[in-house]
Amino acid sequence: MPAYFKPQGSIRKAPHSPSRDRTRQRIKFSDERVCKSHLLNCCPHDILSGTRMDLGECLKVHDLALRADYEIASKQQDFFFELDAMDHLKSFIADCDRRTDIAKKRLADTQEEISAEVAAKAERVHELNEEIGKLLAKAEQLGAEGNVEESQKVMDEVEKTRICKREAEEIYRSSMPASSFQQQKLRVCEVCSAYLGLHDNDRRLADHFGGKLHLGFIEIREKLDELKKPK
């Protein structure tokens, strides 16, 4: 198990101990006890803090002063900490993807089996749900930033997508019995492994795609992709 992670179930953050504080005072950013992902501002323990997947405190040292020291020093010398951070994020994402695969299998075992044709129609509704959720989250963000005109343009896109979704739902509805259509068809989010429902309303979609958990996983995955690129 990577040194960054606590065993499952130990997610409550532990208070800083005096001995750990003393350790921070006497170590340098290059010390092996320091979290290199933290120095590069991409540690999942920081990014997912306060979400339902809060990992608790990282077992390695996090200190903003050490990050500042590293940022200054790295302008003069390459410490290759990107390799440590990349290994860390690879391990974390691999674990998340395993959970996603397990969740998909669980759904396949428990949900009513449907034909490939019907499944494709349901998938289309899910795709439009995802598009609506992302657009709503974007519109809310633009509105919060005071960019009302751009926010309204995005909401216009939302309305067009809602029309497409209603049409897709009708196609899906007509392909199966009413009793089966009413059952909540779930899907696993490929980004953060959360469950999404076929009949989720706009508020639920916006909360998911604009939420800290989903956006945090996007940030982690994008940072990993960035670290993989040759310099």
Side-chain angles (χ1 to χ4, degrees):
M1 178 179 295
Y4 296 92
F5 299 112
K6 290 185 176 182
Q8 191 173 12
S10 303
I11 61 172
R12 182 172 296 178
K13 291 186 178 181
H16 295 298
S17 65
S19 61
R20 185 164 185 172
D21 288 337
R22 285 195 296 272
T23 297
R24 286 177 171 168
Q25 291 171 10
R26 64 173 180 264
I27 67 175
K28 296 182 178 180
F29 64 79
S30 55
D31 193 290
E32 64 178 12
R33 291 168 291 179
V34 175
C35 176
K36 303 307 185 288
S37 299
H38 170 70
L39 296 181
L40 291 165
N41 197 26
C42 62
C43 182
H45 291 264
D46 289 335
I47 295 172
L48 299 180
S49 175
T51 71
R52 66 175 180 81
M53 287 188 65
D54 191 319
L55 300 168
E57 184 175 298
C58 183
L59 295 184
K60 293 203 170 188
V61 174
H62 284 208
D63 191 308
L64 293 176
L66 293 176
R67 181 191 289 171
D69 291 343
Y70 164 71
E71 289 174 349
I72 293 171
S74 63
K75 293 177 181 178
Q76 306 298 325
Q77 178 183 349
D78 195 341
F79 295 92
F80 302 102
F81 290 162
E82 292 83 0
L83 298 176
D84 296 276
M86 183 167 64
D87 287 343
H88 181 193
L89 297 192
K90 274 184 178 178
S91 175
F92 177 79
I93 291 299
D95 184 59
C96 176
D97 289 343
R98 280 193 295 272
R99 288 198 304 272
T100 299
D101 290 339
I102 291 170
K104 285 180 177 180
K105 186 177 185 305
R106 186 179 297 122
L107 284 182
D109 292 340
T110 58
Q111 292 197 131
E112 181 181 346
E113 187 174 349
I114 56 178
S115 69
E117 180 183 357
V118 174
K121 293 173 181 177
E123 181 65 19
R124 178 57 181 159
V125 178
H126 274 302
E127 289 172 354
L128 291 167
N129 268 344
E130 181 171 341
E131 188 174 343
I132 289 171
K134 289 178 178 178
L135 288 170
L136 285 171
K138 181 179 179 181
E140 289 183 2
Q141 180 63 34
L142 288 169
E145 294 170 354
N147 200 335
V148 179
E149 186 176 345
E150 286 300 315
S151 177
Q152 186 54 54
K153 287 180 180 178
V154 175
M155 287 305 300
D156 291 341
E157 292 182 50
V158 170
E159 287 305 317
K160 293 176 183 176
T161 309
R162 281 173 175 158
I163 293 173
C164 294
K165 178 189 170 182
R166 285 195 291 270
E167 292 173 351
E169 282 181 327
E170 283 303 316
I171 294 171
Y172 171 60
R173 185 198 303 268
S174 64
S175 66
M176 60 194 312
S179 59
S180 297
F181 176 78
Q182 293 303 323
Q183 293 177 8
Q184 178 70 304
K185 294 294 185 295
L186 297 175
R187 179 192 194 193
V188 182
C189 178
E190 297 285 351
V191 173
C192 65
S193 74
Y195 287 108
L196 298 171
L198 189 72
H199 307 308
D200 283 346
N201 60 34
D202 287 355
R203 180 70 266 158
R204 157 74 175 131
L205 294 170
D207 286 345
H208 172 79
F209 289 104
K212 186 177 180 181
L213 177 65
H214 185 83
L215 295 178
F217 269 96
I218 289 177
E219 181 180 347
I220 293 168
R221 290 177 183 276
E222 288 180 346
K223 185 62 178 181
L224 178 57
D225 289 341
E226 180 185 327
L227 290 171
K228 287 179 179 178
K229 294 178 181 177
K231 287 189 174 182

